[in-house]
Amino acid sequence: MKESWRWYGDLDRITLPEVAQTGASGIVTALHEIPYGEVWERSVIAERNQRIKGAGFDWVMVESLPVHENIKRGEGDLERLYANYRQSMANLAAEGVKTICYNFMPLIDWTRTDLTAPVARGGACLRFDAPRMAAFEIHMLDRKAALDDYPEAVIEQAGAWYKASTEQDRADLLHAIMSGLPGAYDRYDVEGLKTALKTYEGIDRAEIRANFKRFLEAIVPTAEELGMRLCVHPDDPPRDILGLPRVVSSEEDIAWVMDAVEARSNGLTLCAGSLGAGIHNDIPHIAERFSDRIHFAHLRNVRHDPDQSGSFEEADHLGGGTDMVALISVLLGEEARRREEGREDAEIPFRPDHGHDLLSDRERGAHPGYALIGRMKGLAELRGVIAGLSWRAAKA
């Protein structure tokens, strides 16, 4: 498995020479400065690629080439957006970058309510607290339909939290929820988010799926022609958020995506943490079922609150609810099968996802979830599992 590291380019507080000390050999990055829907010019891609190679890495994965909101809503000049996406793909392929991770989450990306939840023995982690999310939706956004989205106990806790909260508490909650948006883009304030949500009014799950299928039909043939791999990232968390339908949240959803356009290039980013946030998901089983279409893996773990309210937080990479040893065993088995077939994509890139803030991480101020020391710890743990399983397989 190819050890990789997510790097935000000039927006990152972590430098490539520092990443080199983690032992990772692949870089996962994107041109976050380019507005959604615009073409990634080959010259800009080449400059980024040369910079990565000059530091001793391979650019193994684009994360992400964003899907414009109009594509998700199915409105506007879709043919221009599809054409721009295809041209960006061609420009990436011309520079030897042939795998793209993307998502189809409406409006916002991963969602957390706390960026610095305390960890038992020190440090901090990302957390999704269902009562606080409910408080945000019901009381701050005044989205009354959210009353149907949460259990009564969570709604009561949400009301109590909001009543006791200060203006700063509410500002911190908004900041945390908006922090999942990538790159340098402006975050919404409450009124701005209300306005943005209105653009999705009347769009249900079936329509999002139809728009997703239209996108795949427009893009996957080009990926096939270019020898590229597309790998959809699951929803995080795997549930509807803010009343927005999410359609990559379960094994059934992934099967629908894979079947929407039957091609190996229409693949999956196996994100153990995103899928693991749903107690209904069996991650090693999902990996086994879709192993032939996994082009990238995000390896992390989450711990669910025992009250089953839907709250969870980032655990140690080898802790939490997902059997990481079993999952990695599936991925190594798939690599072995691909090598027997002589496939050029036999090695599956992975990255340690969402590390804890440990030691001096907090002082650095890196992107939430993307601390240096916390991710390096996770990478070391995952490396040990891979080494152990590989040794056992070699001895068998």
Side-chain angles (χ1 to χ4, degrees):
M1 294 175 69
K2 179 81 166 178
E3 294 183 5
S4 306
W5 190 271
R6 189 170 192 181
W7 180 63
Y8 286 89
D10 291 331
L11 303 173
D12 208 320
R13 301 288 181 89
I14 300 168
T15 67
L16 288 176
E18 288 175 316
V19 176
Q21 296 180 53
T22 71
S25 59
I27 289 294
V28 176
T29 193
L31 305 180
H32 296 292
E33 302 87 352
I34 298 177
Y36 289 15
E38 298 301 314
V39 172
W40 288 15
E41 298 295 344
R42 183 173 176 180
S43 60
V44 182
I45 295 168
E47 187 280 329
R48 178 65 61 89
N49 205 9
Q50 290 165 10
R51 188 174 170 188
I52 290 169
K53 288 181 177 178
F57 297 95
D58 300 318
W59 185 356
V60 296
M61 184 71 53
V62 173
E63 187 179 351
S64 300
L65 181 57
V67 179
H68 196 279
E69 293 301 316
N70 280 357
I71 292 176
K72 298 173 190 177
R73 289 190 294 258
E75 65 183 28
D77 189 354
L78 295 178
E79 291 307 317
R80 183 186 71 83
L81 292 173
Y82 295 152
N84 286 356
Y85 205 96
R86 288 190 291 260
Q87 186 60 58
S88 295
M89 291 168 60
N91 292 344
L92 284 162
E95 293 299 321
V97 185
K98 292 199 169 184
T99 312
I100 297 170
C101 170
Y102 71 99
N103 73 70
F104 215 80
M105 289 180 262
L107 204 59
I108 59 174
D109 208 304
W110 58 265
T111 304
R112 300 292 185 273
T113 59
D114 193 334
L115 305 179
T116 56
V119 176
R121 298 188 66 185
C125 68
L126 302 179
R127 176 174 171 80
F128 180 90
D129 186 80
R132 290 192 190 185
M133 192 67 205
F136 180 74
E137 294 200 54
I138 297 166
H139 300 288
M140 293 175 63
L141 288 181
D142 196 30
R143 199 178 77 80
K144 300 307 182 187
L147 291 167
D148 297 327
D149 296 340
Y150 294 93
E152 186 62 36
V154 170
I155 293 172
E156 290 177 4
Q157 293 172 56
W161 180 88
Y162 184 77
K163 185 176 181 180
S165 66
T166 65
E167 185 175 340
Q168 186 59 54
D169 291 334
R170 296 189 290 273
D172 290 345
L173 178 57
L174 174 65
H175 172 71
I177 292 170
M178 289 297 102
S179 291
L181 291 170
Y185 295 102
D186 292 335
R187 275 54 176 163
Y188 298 109
D189 59 15
V190 168
E191 292 306 315
L193 184 55
K194 286 181 179 180
T195 299
L197 287 170
K198 288 180 181 178
T199 66
Y200 276 91
E201 285 184 354
I203 299 178
D204 61 11
R205 176 181 174 84
E207 189 168 350
I208 293 287
R209 271 191 167 186
N211 296 337
F212 193 178
K213 189 173 191 295
R214 186 183 301 119
F215 167 74
L216 291 172
E217 290 171 340
I219 300 303
V220 171
T222 299
E224 292 281 288
E225 292 170 9
L226 295 170
M228 299 190 79
R229 294 169 288 274
L230 299 168
C231 40
V232 65
H233 187 287
D235 305 324
D236 185 9
R239 49 163 291 174
D240 292 356
I241 292 289
L242 304 174
L244 299 170
R246 291 190 163 191
V247 296
V248 194
S249 293
S250 66
E251 179 181 352
E252 185 271 333
D253 287 342
I254 294 168
W256 179 89
V257 176
M258 299 300 101
D259 292 342
V261 175
E262 189 63 52
R264 183 178 289 169
S265 58
N266 175 28
L268 173 67
T269 295
L270 195 285
C271 183
S274 297
L275 290 168
I279 58 176
H280 54 283
N281 287 324
D282 180 336
I283 316 307
H285 168 73
I286 289 173
E288 186 75 51
R289 177 175 176 183
F290 302 107
S291 58
D292 184 55
R293 305 279 277 276
I294 294 173
H295 302 317
F296 187 27
H298 291 179
L299 300 182
R300 63 179 171 89
N301 228 316
V302 299
R303 180 183 300 107
H304 295 273
D305 282 14
D307 62 5
Q308 297 189 334
S309 64
S311 299
F312 63 90
E313 63 186 26
E314 310 282 1
D316 291 328
H317 284 72
L318 302 186
T322 294
D323 185 339
M324 194 61 68
V325 176
L327 173 57
I328 291 174
S329 181
V330 171
L331 297 175
L332 289 172
E334 174 60 18
E335 283 191 331
R337 190 187 66 78
R338 293 181 188 185
R339 283 193 294 269
E340 290 179 1
E341 290 184 358
R343 282 173 53 170
E344 65 173 13
D345 63 340
E347 189 174 43
I348 299 173
F350 79 95
R351 63 175 179 82
D353 201 10
H354 291 193
H356 291 170
D357 283 346
L358 302 176
L359 302 172
S360 61
D361 277 332
R362 187 78 62 85
E363 300 164 15
R364 182 183 291 268
H367 284 69
Y370 291 93
L372 175 60
I373 298 171
R375 280 190 291 166
M376 184 166 64
K377 174 178 178 285
L379 178 58
E381 293 171 344
L382 297 168
R383 182 184 294 140
V385 172
I386 293 168
L389 289 172
S390 298
W391 178 85
R392 188 174 69 181
K395 294 293 184 180

